[in-house]
Amino acid sequence: MDAYDFSAIEARWRDFWSERGFFQTDTSAREGTYYYLNMFPYPSGYLHVGHGRNYIIGDLITRVKIMRGLQVLNPMGWDAFGLPAENAAIENNTHPWTFTQKNIDNAKEQFRIWGVQFDWNRELATCLPDYYKWTQWLFVQLYKAGLAYKKKATVNYCPTCDTVLANEQVVGGVCERCDTPPEPRDLEQWFFKITNYAQRLLDDLSTLEKWPDNVVKMQENWIGRSEGAEVTFVAETGDPITVFTTRPDTLWGATFMVLAPEHPLVDKLATDAQREAIATYRDQAARASEIDRLSTDREKTGVFTGGYAQNPVNGEKVPVWIADYVLMTYGTGAIMAVPAHDERDFAFAIKFGLPIIPVIDRTDGLAKSVVFPGSVDADFAHRLDALHIDYERQPLGDLGEGLFVTMHGEAQIDKYVEVMRENLAPGNWNEIVGARWLFVFNDTVLELDGTASDREILARCKAIYPPVGKNRTVMEMLNGLSFYRNVLFHAEYGTMIHSGEFTGTPGDRAKADVSQWLETKNIGRATINFRLHDWLISRQRYWGAPIPMIHCEKCGQVPVPEDQLPVLLPETEFIGKMGLADIPGYADTTCPECGGPAKRDTDTMDTFVDSSWYYLRYINPQDATRAFARSDVDHWLPVDQYVGGVEHAILHLLYARFITKALYDMGHVGFTEPFARLFTQGMVCHTAYKCPDHGWLYPKEVSSGATTCPKCGKDLDISSFKMSKSKRNVVDPKDIVDHYGADTERLYTMFMGPPDRDIDWTDEGIRGAFRFLNRVWTLIISSLDQLGAVGTKANTAELDESALSLWRRVHRTIKKVSEDIEERFSFNTAVAAIMELFNELSPYTSGGTVDAALLREAIDALVLILSPFTPFVCEELWQRTGHTDSILEQPWPSYEDAALEQDTVEIPVQVNGKLRARITVPAAVAVDAAALKDAALANERIQAELAGKNLIKAIAIPGKMVSLVVK
RNA sequence: GCCGGGAUGGCGGAAUUGGCAGACGCAAGGGACUUAAAAUCCUUUGAAGGGUAACUUCGUGCGGGUUCGAGUCCCGCUCCCGGCACCA
C-alpha cells in the first residue's frame, strides 16, 4: 500500500487549481457573489507560519464558498510603498522597487506552496503608477470637495539624518536610526479633513453589527466624543479666551486659566516680567514633548503669564498660566481650571498655590474634621458619642492626640457644628471638610465659598497658629493633613454650591441648565468636541505616492488636471534619506491654469492613503479609465468578510471608513461602510530563549527541556512572544512543509486554537496534525476495496446499529463543520468534529460487516469537509476513491435532517441538583415532559434515591434532563 | 487612571440558548510489535477516598447571591492580556 507521500501529492496538485481557473472571479456577476478580503500585506522579506494563519483562513473560506456555488472574489495585492523598502534600498544601494519586487515574488511562491489561492489577475501593488494614479485621483477629488487642505504643523525633524521623521520612526522619543532626539519643526503639511466625519464615523459604528466589539470600542475611544460647552473668558487686554469644558456646571469654581504653551495668545498676555520665564518654559516644553508626555504621573509644570482674565459668571479676576498638560491639539488649546473638581487642576493648584473653591456638593454626604488637642475639653468625645458621630483617636505629630471625626449627612454635620461652637476653646478653630466646607471660629463660622473667604479664613488661621502661614491657600493647608486627602477633591456630578443663582441646582440638571443659561447670556454655548483630529498625510519621503498639487505664484494651489495623472515618481539613482524636494528638477513644472512657471508639491502621501481605497480597485483592477466602476463596486461592496490583524483596528479601518463616506458624498459609490463583517485574527507566538549574556538564542541551540544557556550555563529567560526575527523565534514554513507538508501546516494552524486569540505554536502540536493525516490516508487507501460505487448512498433500512450510528455521525459532522466554518469562525472545533467522525469511522471499517454504500457516503463526506483545511491530500484522495472531477466542482455536502434524530436519547436525572442516573428513553418520550418525568421516577436508581423521602418538585426539560427535589 | 477581553486538567483548548464539565489534540504512564530504537497500534490519564468494575466527595481565579440546576446570569474582589492615556 502507498504511504502518505505528502511531497509528491502536494507537487501534483500545486498548480492544478489555478490552471483550472477555480479562483478567477467574474465581477460582472450579479447573483450569488461573495467578497472575501484579507488585509493586504506589506511585502516584507519573509513569511513565517504566523503570517500563514491569515491566508489559510481566507483560502479555507473561499474554498467552502466556491463549493457552495458562489461567485467568490478573494484578491491579493501589496501595500508596497513605505519606509522599510526605502531603508532597505539605501542599505543595498538599489531601488526600492527592486527590493519590493523580490519580496513579492517570494510571498507569491510561499502562497503557492501553502496552497493558498488568489485571483492573480487582480493583483495590485500600491507603488505602481497604474495604482497610485488613482490614489492621486482620490486626493484631487478630496481636494475639490474641500476635504484636503494645507496648514502649518509641527513635525519631528532629525538634525543628524537631516530629514523629517514620520511618527513611526520616532521610537522611544529618539530617531530610530541614529538615536537622536528629534526637533519639532513647523512645516506646511497636507491634511484630510476626517474631523468633518467624526460624528458619522461614530454613529455608523452601531450599524457594524458583525464587527468585533473591541474594535468598535477602540474606534469609539479614538474618535472620543465629549459633550460640553465653550465658554469665553475675557483677558485684561480685551482678548477673548475661549475654553472647552465638559463641566460648565463647575464654572464658578474656575479660579485660574491654563493655556497650552504654543497658544497664540500667550505672547499678548505675557507681562514683561514674565516674558523670559515663558520663553524658557515654551522652549523646554517643545523639546521635552515626546519623551515626557509618555509619563502621565509626572509632576505638573507651568509658568504664570502675568496676565489675568475675568471669569464671566462671577466676575472674579483669574490668573492665566501656561502649562504643558494643556494640549494645543485638543479643544481650544485653553482651559478653565476648576481645581476642586478636576484631578489635574487640583495637582497644579496645590503645587502653585492657586485657590481651590469647591462648587459641587459631594453625593455621599461624607465630611471629616480633625479636632486638635486642647481645642476642646476632655468631655468632647462623650458629646460626640451621644450624637453617634464616629471618631478615632490618633496622634497629631508632637501636638498630642487628636480626634479624627467622620460624619455622614447634613443632620450629623449640623449637630457637630453646633456642639463645636459651644465647646471650642478660645484661640482655636475647627474645620469641617467634604460635604460641607465650614470653619468654626470663636466668634463666627465661615464657609469656604469663594476666593475672598479663602483669603479671610487663611488669615484668621494664621493669626491663631502662625505655622500655617506657609500655606498659600486654605486647601493647601488642609492638604497637609493626609486624613483629609480623599475629601478635598471629587469629579462627580452633584448639587451645585457656591454658584450664585445656580446654587442648589441638582447634579442631573446642572450641566444642561448652565449651558443653556450661558447661551442666553452670550457667554458660551453647548458644544461637542472630538479627540480625533485631522489626518496628516504629508510625508517628506521618496517612496510614496506624490501629492498631485502644483503651487503657482499667480494662481496659488492648483491640482494636477486628472488627464495628466499620474504624477510619476522620478526615476533616480539618488533616493532614500532625502525626499522629492531634494531631487533636482522634480519640482519644476508649469501651472496648468496660467501656463507660467510653477512648483510641484514635493510631499508624498502617507501609505494609509494607499490602503484606504484598495478594496475598491480589486473590482476593476485593470481599468485604465477610472479607479473603479460604480456599477460593479455597488454590487460587490461592502466586503462580505474582511480579515486582518487587530493592530489595524483603529487607523486603517477608520481611514477606510472615512474615505468610503467621502466617496459616497461625492457620488462615486452607493454605500457608506466598506466592510460588512470584520474578523481580527490573533497572533501566533513561539517560545523565545534569552540568555542574560548571549541575548536571544535560536530554539535549535537550546537542547530540549533545558533551561540554561548552552554557551555559559546561565539561566535562560524563557517565554513566548509573537514571532519576530529579532527574538529568533520564528518558525520557517519551509521547515514545516519539508518535514510534514503544507496540508499538515494548514491543519495544525486551524486546529491550534480559536482564531481570534493569540496562540503558541508548538512542535508537538504539529506532529499531532501530521499523525491525523497519516491515519486518514491509511484508512481510506486500505478501505478502497470495501468502497461502494461512486454516487451510492447508504440505505438506512439495511444498516445495523453501529452503521446507523456512523451514518448519524456523518451528517451531524457535516452540520457542525458547516456552521463552525461559515457562521462561527470556529475552525478548531470544526477540525475536532472531523477527528471525531474519523474516530468512529476507523473502527467501523475493521469491525466485521461493512456497508459499502455507507462507507462510500462517509468517506466522500470526510474528504469533502476536510478539503478546505487540507486541499492537497483531499484532492488526491478524491481521485483515488474513484472520482474524476475536482473537489472544487463538488457541492459542499448537505446533511439529512433524519440523521440528526436519534431513536433513543440518554437523559440525565438529577436529585437535589446532583446527577444520580442516566436513563435511556425513546425519542418520543424524551420530548414529552410528563412521560419523561414518569420514566425518570420509574428508574431503579432513582427509586432507591427517593426511598423514604418526599418528592417536592419534579422538573422535566424535554430532550434535556429531569431534575427532582426531595426532602 | 479609563475602556475592552480573559482566567477551565500537566499543556492548547471544548461545552453554541442556564441543563451530563473536561470534546478534540498534545504530553505522560502501561502494554503490543522490534535484537534495539523510531514509527505504528492497543490502553490508562481532573483530584481525593482501602479505589483501573458500576460507589462517594471535591472540582471551571477568589468571596457572596439568584435558580430545581451556574464554567455560563447578578453583586463584590484578585491577577493576566490588549487599547487609550495630562483629551479639559
Side-chain angles (χ1 to χ4, degrees):
Chain A
M1 193 193 74
D2 293 349
Y4 170 45
D5 183 355
F6 58 84
S7 56
I9 292 168
E10 291 178 7
R12 186 169 314 138
W13 298 101
R14 195 159 284 147
D15 297 311
F16 169 78
W17 302 298
S18 56
E19 279 162 9
R20 298 281 288 264
F22 289 127
F23 291 84
Q24 274 164 40
T25 316
D26 173 11
T27 41
S28 67
R30 289 293 177 269
E31 294 286 319
T33 58
Y34 186 85
Y35 188 178
Y36 179 92
L37 186 63
N38 275 127
M39 289 180 188
F40 69 166
Y42 177 79
S44 64
Y46 70 105
L47 290 170
H48 57 64
V49 295
H51 295 117
R53 199 177 198 188
N54 199 2
Y55 307 111
I56 292 166
I57 291 171
D59 188 62
L60 188 157
I61 290 176
T62 304
R63 286 171 186 271
V64 173
K65 296 296 179 188
I66 288 173
M67 291 170 78
R68 285 280 187 211
L70 298 174
Q71 184 66 236
V72 188
L73 173 62
N74 178 13
M76 180 50 59
W78 313 100
D79 190 14
F81 270 138
L83 283 165
E86 208 170 337
N87 289 340
I90 295 166
E91 269 174 43
N92 304 325
N93 202 19
T94 171
H95 193 277
W97 174 238
T98 316
F99 167 83
T100 303
Q101 205 168 24
K102 204 181 88 208
N103 291 343
I104 289 175
D105 289 344
N106 284 346
K108 287 172 85 168
E109 177 57 15
Q110 185 60 62
F111 290 147
R112 183 172 159 268
I113 289 183
W114 275 331
V116 168
Q117 303 290 314
F118 296 104
D119 182 353
W120 288 115
N121 293 333
R122 294 174 187 277
E123 179 182 8
L124 56 83
T126 57
C127 65
L128 294 177
D130 60 0
Y131 183 86
Y132 72 69
K133 171 180 180 177
W134 301 110
T135 307
Q136 292 171 339
W137 170 86
L138 175 69
F139 179 96
V140 172
Q141 304 314 305
L142 292 170
Y143 177 77
K144 286 179 176 168
L147 292 170
Y149 68 96
K150 209 168 190 189
K151 77 170 181 196
K152 231 182 190 110
T154 310
V155 293
N156 297 307
Y157 186 88
C158 176
T160 311
C161 301
D162 197 25
T163 187
V164 168
L165 303 175
N167 285 338
E168 315 85 69
Q169 281 181 289
V170 183
V171 178
V174 294
C175 171
E176 65 170 356
R177 256 193 278 157
C178 66
D179 290 342
T180 314
E183 290 171 3
R185 284 214 182 166
D186 281 345
L187 282 180
E188 287 279 312
Q189 306 269 294
W190 283 99
F191 288 83
F192 285 163
K193 216 163 174 33
I194 191 172
T195 50
N196 274 15
Y197 286 80
Q199 189 65 52
R200 279 164 70 189
L201 287 166
L202 183 66
D203 290 344
D204 288 356
L205 284 173
S206 65
T207 68
L208 301 175
E209 286 162 21
K210 299 290 175 62
W211 279 39
D213 292 342
N214 61 330
V215 174
V216 171
K217 262 282 178 291
M218 279 189 227
Q219 293 222 344
E220 213 175 286
N221 293 342
W222 190 261
I223 295 166
R225 181 185 199 271
S226 41
E227 284 179 28
E230 275 183 5
V231 187
T232 303
F233 286 56
V234 179
E236 284 174 319
T237 55
D239 294 290
I241 309 175
T242 301
V243 301
F244 173 74
T245 176
T246 55
R247 294 298 300 272
D249 55 322
T250 65
L251 249 168
W252 282 262
T255 51
F256 58 101
M257 299 185 80
V258 186
L259 309 188
E262 318 90 297
H263 196 284
L265 235 43
V266 173
D267 280 331
K268 231 176 148 191
L269 295 174
T271 55
D272 290 337
Q274 291 300 97
R275 224 166 265 288
E276 202 184 314
I278 289 169
T280 312
Y281 184 74
R282 281 178 131 182
D283 216 45
Q284 168 199 327
R287 186 163 308 143
S289 60
E290 269 302 320
I291 308 165
D292 286 352
R293 284 185 182 182
L294 292 173
S295 62
T296 338
D297 47 18
R298 79 188 227 265
E299 210 178 322
K300 294 275 177 293
T301 58
V303 173
F304 180 40
T305 60
Y308 290 85
Q310 194 183 45
N311 183 330
V313 300
N314 58 11
E316 290 246 11
K317 185 175 154 187
V318 296
V320 181
W321 287 62
I322 61 171
D324 65 1
Y325 81 92
V326 174
L327 310 174
M328 196 57 223
T329 50
Y330 184 79
T332 60
I335 63 157
M336 64 177 206
V338 184
H341 304 291
D342 181 283
E343 201 179 355
R344 298 151 298 176
D345 297 344
F346 182 82
F348 192 83
I350 288 289
K351 175 160 179 189
F352 293 105
L354 295 158
I356 303 171
I357 309 300
V359 293
I360 302 291
D361 201 5
R362 291 185 74 85
T363 52
D364 60 4
L366 177 67
K368 291 183 168 186
S369 181
V370 174
V371 183
F372 276 69
S375 69
V376 291
D377 64 31
D379 275 349
F380 190 75
H382 297 126
R383 298 196 179 90
L384 292 182
D385 291 336
L387 294 169
H388 305 289
I389 293 175
D390 289 337
Y391 60 87
E392 269 182 58
R393 290 178 196 277
Q394 274 183 29
L396 258 167
D398 49 8
L399 297 174
E401 196 173 60
L403 298 180
F404 287 70
V405 182
T406 304
M407 292 163 274
H408 292 279
E410 295 289 312
Q412 239 185 13
I413 299 172
D414 287 342
K415 279 188 276 179
Y416 176 83
V417 173
E418 201 177 315
V419 71
M420 179 54 76
R421 291 197 70 170
E422 287 162 6
N423 288 276
L424 187 68
N428 284 284
W429 87 87
N430 178 264
E431 69 271 343
I432 294 95
V433 173
R436 296 282 274 282
W437 299 89
L438 299 174
F439 287 75
V440 179
F441 295 98
N442 295 119
D443 56 336
T444 186
V445 177
L446 294 180
E447 181 165 6
L448 176 64
D449 61 357
T451 49
S453 59
D454 186 52
R455 282 189 296 271
E456 187 182 351
I457 291 164
L458 194 66
R460 276 169 169 261
C461 294
K462 192 173 163 184
I464 293 168
Y465 186 61
V468 302
K470 69 177 192 296
N471 294 300
R472 294 158 292 185
T473 63
V474 169
M475 272 303 175
E476 189 180 9
M477 176 178 81
L478 298 174
N479 195 50
L481 277 168
S482 58
F483 179 62
Y484 287 148
R485 291 265 165 89
N486 68 337
V487 289
L488 296 184
F489 141 86
H490 77 85
E492 286 172 2
Y493 286 93
T495 305
M496 293 172 69
I497 54 173
H498 312 150
S499 298
E501 61 184 281
F502 277 92
T503 298
T505 309
D508 53 357
R509 270 185 22 217
K511 193 169 157 175
D513 284 7
V514 173
S515 298
Q516 206 179 2
W517 178 80
L518 288 171
E519 217 150 324
T520 61
K521 289 275 177 183
N522 214 17
I523 306 167
R525 59 190 179 89
T527 181
I528 288 153
N529 214 328
F530 293 94
R531 203 193 78 109
L532 180 72
H533 29 259
D534 279 340
W535 175 11
L536 194 166
I537 61 141
S538 283
R539 297 289 181 271
Q540 290 71 37
R541 279 276 157 179
Y542 172 79
W543 195 231
I547 290 178
M549 291 296 292
I550 290 167
H551 304 277
C552 169
E553 291 211 352
K554 241 193 280 171
C555 313
Q557 277 171 10
V558 184
V560 175
E562 289 174 32
D563 58 10
Q564 289 174 29
L565 294 176
V567 176
L568 289 170
L569 277 174
E571 294 283 340
T572 172
E573 302 263 313
F574 183 65
I575 49 149
K577 195 166 171 177
M578 308 288 181
L580 293 179
D582 304 296
I583 293 171
Y586 172 75
D588 300 327
T589 186
T590 50
C591 172
E593 277 180 20
C594 67
K599 292 282 182 192
R600 282 194 192 284
D601 199 292
T602 53
D603 286 348
T604 50
M605 284 185 250
D606 178 9
T607 55
F608 277 119
V609 181
D610 307 329
S611 59
S612 67
W613 74 280
Y614 76 108
Y615 45 90
L616 297 165
R617 184 64 181 171
Y618 279 136
I619 309 297
N620 315 98
Q622 276 131 16
D623 195 326
T625 63
R626 55 194 167 173
F628 49 83
R630 175 164 177 175
S631 59
D632 290 336
V633 297
D634 277 1
H635 174 79
W636 282 88
L637 282 104
V639 172
D640 292 283
Q641 179 68 61
Y642 196 36
V643 176
V646 73
E647 67 271 21
H648 293 116
I650 298 172
L651 294 183
H652 162 60
L653 290 169
L654 196 67
Y655 293 150
R657 294 180 61 222
F658 158 59
I659 293 297
T660 298
K661 287 178 197 305
L663 288 171
Y664 173 84
D665 287 351
M666 294 185 284
H668 294 298
V669 302
F671 49 92
T672 55
E673 285 290 340
F675 313 119
R677 188 171 172 154
L678 175 72
F679 184 82
T680 51
Q681 93 277 2
M683 294 181 301
V684 177
C685 304
H686 194 223
T687 314
Y689 302 87
K690 191 178 189 180
C691 167
D693 290 345
H694 297 92
W696 299 102
L697 304 173
Y698 291 103
K700 284 176 201 163
E701 297 177 79
V702 183
S703 49
S704 95
T707 59
T708 54
C709 177
K711 294 174 187 166
C712 63
K714 288 199 177 157
D715 279 349
L716 290 170
D717 189 359
I718 304 174
S719 43
S720 182
F721 292 97
K722 178 187 180 178
M723 288 186 189
S724 80
K725 264 187 172 171
S726 63
K727 296 197 175 69
R728 301 194 167 179
N729 65 339
V730 294
V731 176
D732 187 342
K734 186 174 188 312
D735 292 342
I736 302 300
V737 172
D738 287 352
H739 272 85
Y740 306 105
D743 277 332
T744 295
E745 184 187 336
R746 290 176 61 120
L747 184 67
Y748 175 57
T749 300
M750 293 297 94
F751 184 59
M752 281 194 290
D756 56 341
R757 232 185 275 178
D758 290 353
I759 193 98
D760 275 325
W761 180 277
T762 67
D763 302 329
E764 294 78 25
I766 190 114
R767 284 202 289 272
F770 183 62
R771 264 199 291 268
F772 176 70
L773 289 183
N774 271 288
R775 279 198 289 257
V776 170
W777 175 266
T778 307
L779 178 81
I780 294 179
I781 295 301
S782 62
S783 311
L784 288 176
D785 54 352
Q786 294 174 285
L787 215 48
V790 170
T792 52
K793 296 232 166 201
N795 179 352
T796 53
E798 292 171 1
L799 299 181
D800 62 23
E801 204 162 309
S802 69
L804 264 178
S805 167
L806 174 61
W807 178 70
R808 290 199 192 95
R809 168 79 69 184
V810 169
H811 289 271
R812 216 163 56 229
T813 306
I814 292 169
K815 180 172 194 280
K816 174 155 177 67
V817 171
S818 308
E819 288 170 358
D820 279 357
I821 294 174
E822 294 179 283
E823 286 160 38
R824 298 209 306 145
F825 256 65
S826 179
F827 311 112
N828 54 325
T829 54
V831 174
I834 294 171
M835 287 172 168
E836 285 180 82
L837 169 60
F838 176 84
N839 289 345
E840 183 160 353
L841 175 64
S842 177
Y844 177 76
T845 59
S846 54
T849 52
V850 171
D851 185 283
L854 173 64
L855 192 62
R856 163 61 67 185
E857 191 178 338
I859 285 179
D860 278 3
L862 177 71
V863 172
L864 289 173
I865 59 179
L866 187 59
S867 70
F869 296 90
T870 60
F872 298 100
V873 68
C874 288
E875 201 73 76
E876 177 79 14
L877 285 168
W878 191 248
Q879 202 192 50
R880 299 254 190 150
T881 52
H883 299 274
T884 50
D885 57 352
S886 162
I887 284 180
L888 288 172
E889 292 167 297
Q890 282 287 313
W892 182 254
S894 55
Y895 57 88
E896 288 183 37
D897 286 324
L900 305 178
E901 288 160 17
Q902 305 274 349
D903 293 344
T904 59
V905 187
E906 199 180 65
I907 300 285
V909 183
Q910 290 184 350
V911 177
N912 287 348
K914 285 185 175 147
L915 182 71
R916 284 293 182 247
R918 296 189 178 91
I919 56 172
T920 304
V921 296
V925 172
V927 297
D928 177 347
L932 187 57
K933 189 177 94 185
D934 292 342
L937 290 171
N939 178 273
E940 254 178 64
R941 195 60 230 294
I942 297 302
Q943 287 282 327
E945 210 51 58
L946 299 187
K949 293 172 185 152
N950 293 325
L951 182 65
I952 312 262
K953 202 169 174 184
I955 298 147
I957 311 294
K960 298 262 172 153
M961 69 151 23
V962 179
S963 185
L964 306 170
V965 188
V966 302
K967 231 181 195 168

